[in-house]
Structure formats: structure tokens, C-alpha cells
Amino acid sequence: AVVSTQSTGEYRSVLLKDLCQYYEYNEFLMSHLVELMPLGELLDMLDAQEAKRPVTIRANSLKTRRRDLAQTLISRGVNLDPIGKWSKVGLVVYNTSVPLGATPEYLAGHYMLQGASSFVPVMALNAKPGERVLDMCAAPGGKSAYIAALMKNTGMLVSNDASKERTKALSANLHRLGVHNAVVCNYDGMAFPKVMGNFDRVLLDAPCSGTGVVSKDASVKQSKDEEEILKIAEAQKRLLLAAIDSCDHTSKTGGVVVYSTCSVMVQENEWVVDYALKRRNVKLLPLGVDIGKDGFSRINKYRFDSSLSLTKRYYPHTHNMDGFFVAKFQKLSNIVKEPKEVFRSDGESEEEGVGDVMEEAGDVTEGVGDVTEEADEVTEEAAEITEEAGDVTEEAGVVTEETGVEGMECEEPEKKYPSEKKAKKGKKKKKKVTKEKTKDS
């Protein structure tokens, strides 16, 4: 029998390189995907990422019903079915003989071409008629239009996007879909609490790395690295805090914030949510949606709040939709929490989580204790030196008395500083002037 001498780590590194080569991912991205799930399930997800997701549409309840829309599209040669029991407005299209973006029903605003995963954050938000709702990153408008439909075109919906160019498509879609209660604006989401606040509900579909939609953009496999992921995560943290600050915790019907991304990376999902839990007085709520896998409360070197199991993850191999993450917050008050942990500025140490930070804090405390002990020792030595100096002074006094020289100081010549020299020169000049005046007189 042949006995292998390779370690588990060596096998893992070989497997990682083989996966990178076969699926054309860079090593950084693949090393993080391997941590998300068992190897067999990971292969299923990677294979699913290579295939395109089925086309899905959302029936616009402001203008039609899903049953009527399905019958009309079937008569035009579209093969479709309801998306599932979890959605009342979604339809999945298997094949079609007409372009879905040019049918009379599309132009009339009866439906919106929209990914199935993007239904979930709006369903979790669960906006009510008459409320004030903010969609912080709204373009191209699919989620905003869905929110308006749930609100039955009442109340006020603020659809914001940081890109002025993207607001054009946002406005066009809202007009086409018959949305009348929306205000389109163009502000940086991070500064939005200064512009407007006191919303009953806030939806933040944050800009992300797109690691959940590889089937739409294969360049993600090679273009994303650790530095870029950490930069995106920092922006997401600031946006989420701004979204929470824009929400009204005293709302009788809401006080809800929903955070979502189309990424499967822990740094952009659980890490960001855990950050918000430590800095704002909020708690996580169940989404109220029947599908999805629980988020991670601990994974590899990360340790998060236990309530993160209430968040949901969506994968292409389990739900046949794009990779997605959704979290739902309830705002309790406007209190801004002071973080208990201090994260270091370098990205590597930030990833190590709370446990590592506490260990570092312990090391620092021990170091402070050592320094304190050293300081005590130095203080004792200084006290001894002071006592010795006192003894020397007494002895010098005795010697002075014995020699009969009283009032004389036996001091070493001190170093004269420029300012002192100038002062003495000034005194000498004054004496000379007074002498010359006395002679003249």
C-alpha cells in the first residue's frame, strides 16, 4: 500500500489551485468561496454560476393582475409559470417568441423585467399605504416601483440614487409603471440624513462587488481582490449607518431598515450588519420570507452577534436565483453606541474579528502592567537618589561651617544661556551710562 505523506493543508492548496484553474477564478475569491460551504455544495454553486439564471418578470399590481398578465403573454407565445408560492407577483419565463422588452404590455407598464432575488428585500421591507419610505440606492427602479405598488400609490416614496445618469432610467421606469407617489432625487446616500429624515421604512440595496451575479458578469472572477472588497465594505458600513439614521424609531407602523447586496462575501454582508449592531441601537428581525439560508453568526475566523442567524442568504444552486443577502433591522432609538472594540486600520487585522481584538487588548493590558511596574521601580530609585542627595547636602553644610566660610556657595559653574548673557551685558551697559552721567554732573 502506498502511504501519502502530504498534509491536509497541502491537499487543500492543490485543490484550491485546481478549482481556480477550472472555473477561472482568482485565488483570493476562490479561497473565500471555499469557506462558505462544504466542497460538494461549493461545486454545485460554481456550476450554477456558470449557467444563466432564468428570466423573471414582476407583474405590476398598479395596472394588472398576475393571472391576467400570464394569459396575455401566453397568447403572444411566451412560455411561463408562477415563480413560486413565496411570491404573488413573480413569473418565470422559460422561452419566448417575442422580445419581452418590446411587447405592448411592457410598454404599457404591466410588468417589469426583474431578478427574482430582488423581490426579497422589498417583501422584507413590507411597506404600508400612507407611509414615508426611502429607497436609498433606487436605480433602475424595479424595487422602488414594487414598493409603490405595495403602498398602493399612497404616502410618499423617495427614490434616491447617487448617479445622476442612472436617475434618468429610474424616472423613466417609474413613469412607465404608473408610479405617482415617488420623488426622484440625486444625493450621496452617506449624506442623506442631513438632507431628509424621519422615514417610516428605509431600503438600502447597497453597491457591492457583484460576486453573487457572476453569471451576468464573468469579469468578477478575476477583477476582485482583497483591497477592493474591503473598500466596498467600508462604503457599505457608512451607507448602512446613514440609512439607520434616516429612519424614525418612533414610527407607529415602521421603524424598519432593510439592507441587501448581490454579493456572497462575508465581508460585505454579516460583517457590515454586525458593525451596525455595535454602533446603533437596532436589532435584527425575521424577514418574513419563507425561502433562504440562515446567515452566519460564526465562520472561520469571524465571530458575529448570534442574531445574525435571522439574516438570509440566497444561492443560485439552491434557489435558482442570483446570489443575494438580506437583513432586516428594527430601530429602537437614536442612541449612537460607542464601539467596545477598536479595530486596527490595516485590513488584515480587521478581518480577524472580535476575538482577536480582545486578545490584542489583553496583550496591551499586560504590556501596560509591565510598564507600570517599571515606572514604580524608577520612582523608588529616584527616591533613593533624592535621599542620597539630601545626605550630601548636609555633609556640605558641615564642611562649610568647619572651614569658616559662611554665606559662600560652592557650586559648579552653570552654563550661561544667550538670554542670560544679554541680560548681564545690558546691566553692565546701564552701569557705564550711570557712571558717565555722574562724571558729567
Side-chain angles (χ1 to χ4, degrees):
V2 179
V3 180
S4 176
T5 58
Q6 287 184 315
S7 65
T8 305
E10 290 173 335
Y11 276 118
R12 184 182 176 86
S13 63
V14 171
L15 174 63
L16 190 65
K17 290 179 181 178
D18 290 343
L19 290 173
C20 290
Q21 185 176 0
Y22 185 80
Y23 291 102
E24 299 179 341
Y25 282 79
N26 63 30
E27 191 169 344
F28 163 76
L29 194 56
M30 184 60 73
S31 64
H32 282 75
L33 294 179
V34 167
E35 296 172 356
L36 295 178
M37 57 194 72
L39 180 59
E41 189 177 354
L42 174 64
L43 294 176
D44 291 338
M45 190 189 79
L46 293 173
D47 288 333
Q49 289 274 44
E50 298 300 311
K52 290 186 178 182
R53 303 274 72 72
V55 177
T56 54
I57 62 176
R58 179 183 60 81
N60 182 16
S61 59
L62 293 175
K63 292 193 173 185
T64 187
R65 294 185 301 175
R66 182 171 68 172
R67 181 184 299 176
D68 298 336
L69 176 64
Q71 290 175 353
T72 303
L73 292 178
I74 289 171
S75 67
R76 294 189 184 278
V78 181
N79 183 14
L80 50 75
D81 272 327
I83 200 169
K85 293 181 180 180
W86 59 273
S87 173
K88 297 179 180 179
V89 294
L91 292 166
V92 56
V93 177
Y94 300 113
N95 54 68
T96 175
S97 58
V98 294
L100 291 174
T103 63
E105 288 73 29
Y106 177 84
L107 298 175
H110 288 194
Y111 65 89
M112 177 78 177
L113 288 163
Q114 193 171 348
S117 54
S118 65
F119 294 0
V120 178
V122 180
M123 295 171 66
L125 189 69
N126 195 24
K128 305 294 184 183
E131 290 184 331
R132 298 177 75 248
V133 180
L134 168 63
D135 187 357
M136 189 171 276
C137 303
K143 296 182 186 69
S144 278
Y146 193 2
I147 293 171
L150 293 176
M151 297 171 69
K152 298 181 180 178
N153 252 344
T154 62
M156 185 179 73
L157 169 63
V158 177
S159 299
N160 177 71
D161 201 89
S163 171
K164 192 172 183 179
E165 283 297 315
R166 285 168 61 84
T167 57
K168 296 176 182 178
L170 171 59
S171 299
N173 279 320
L174 293 179
H175 280 298
R176 181 177 62 81
L177 294 164
V179 175
H180 301 147
N181 66 336
V183 177
V184 176
C185 56
N186 170 224
Y187 289 102
D188 181 359
M190 298 177 190
F192 209 87
K194 298 178 182 178
V195 178
M196 199 181 306
N198 296 324
F199 290 96
D200 296 304
R201 299 172 194 265
V202 180
L203 172 62
L204 173 60
D205 185 31
C208 64
S209 62
T211 51
V213 290
V214 173
S215 59
K216 295 179 181 177
D217 183 12
S219 65
V220 174
K221 296 179 182 180
Q222 294 291 336
S223 61
K224 304 303 175 185
D225 57 15
E226 185 174 14
E227 183 179 0
E228 184 174 356
I229 295 294
L230 292 176
K231 283 182 180 178
I232 293 171
E234 285 302 315
Q236 290 166 338
K237 290 175 185 177
R238 294 172 62 189
L239 282 169
L240 181 53
L241 294 185
I244 294 170
D245 293 340
S246 299
C247 187
D248 182 13
H249 72 281
T250 62
S251 171
K252 295 180 180 179
T253 60
V256 172
V257 178
V258 171
Y259 172 78
S260 63
T261 69
C262 56
S263 171
V264 296
M265 300 293 284
V266 174
Q267 294 93 327
E268 298 178 74
N269 298 326
E270 285 88 354
W271 192 21
V272 175
V273 171
D274 189 68
Y275 178 90
L277 289 173
K278 286 180 169 61
R279 284 158 179 79
R280 294 294 185 270
N281 192 16
V282 294
K283 67 176 183 178
L284 288 171
L285 298 176
L287 297 191
V289 182
D290 296 334
I291 61 170
K293 286 193 169 186
D294 293 345
F296 298 110
S297 57
R298 60 183 297 169
I299 176 174
N300 196 19
K301 56 189 174 182
Y302 297 101
R303 299 295 181 269
F304 302 120
D305 192 282
S306 59
S307 63
L308 263 88
S309 59
L310 295 174
T311 64
K312 293 294 181 183
R313 284 176 159 264
Y314 300 90
Y315 297 110
H317 67 290
T318 55
H319 308 100
N320 200 18
M321 60 176 71
D322 294 324
F324 224 75
F325 174 85
V326 185
K328 183 177 181 178
F329 296 90
Q330 175 76 55
K331 185 175 181 180
L332 303 176
S333 73
N334 289 327
I335 295 174
V336 176
K337 295 181 181 179
E338 291 295 330
K340 295 181 181 179
E341 299 85 21
V342 179
F343 291 94
R344 294 180 296 183
S345 58
D346 58 296
E348 183 179 355
S349 61
E350 279 191 326
E351 289 184 20
E352 292 174 1
V354 176
D356 295 333
V357 172
M358 295 303 291
E359 288 178 7
E360 290 174 9
D363 296 339
V364 171
T365 305
E366 291 177 5
V368 171
D370 296 338
V371 172
T372 305
E373 290 177 4
E374 291 176 4
D376 292 339
E377 292 174 2
V378 171
T379 305
E380 290 175 4
E381 291 177 3
E384 292 174 1
I385 292 170
T386 305
E387 290 177 3
E388 291 176 2
D391 296 340
V392 171
T393 304
E394 291 177 3
E395 290 176 3
V398 172
V399 171
T400 303
E401 290 177 0
E402 291 176 355
T403 54
V405 182
E406 294 181 4
M408 299 293 292
E409 296 180 357
C410 300
E411 295 181 354
E412 294 182 3
E414 294 181 356
K415 187 176 180 180
K416 304 292 184 180
Y417 291 96
S419 59
E420 294 177 1
K421 291 179 180 179
K422 288 181 181 179
K424 289 186 176 182
K425 286 181 180 180
K427 289 180 180 179
K428 289 179 180 179
K429 287 182 180 180
K430 287 181 180 179
K431 288 180 180 179
K432 287 181 180 180
V433 171
T434 51
K435 287 179 180 178
E436 289 175 359
K437 285 183 178 180
T438 51
K439 286 180 182 180
D440 294 337
S441 60

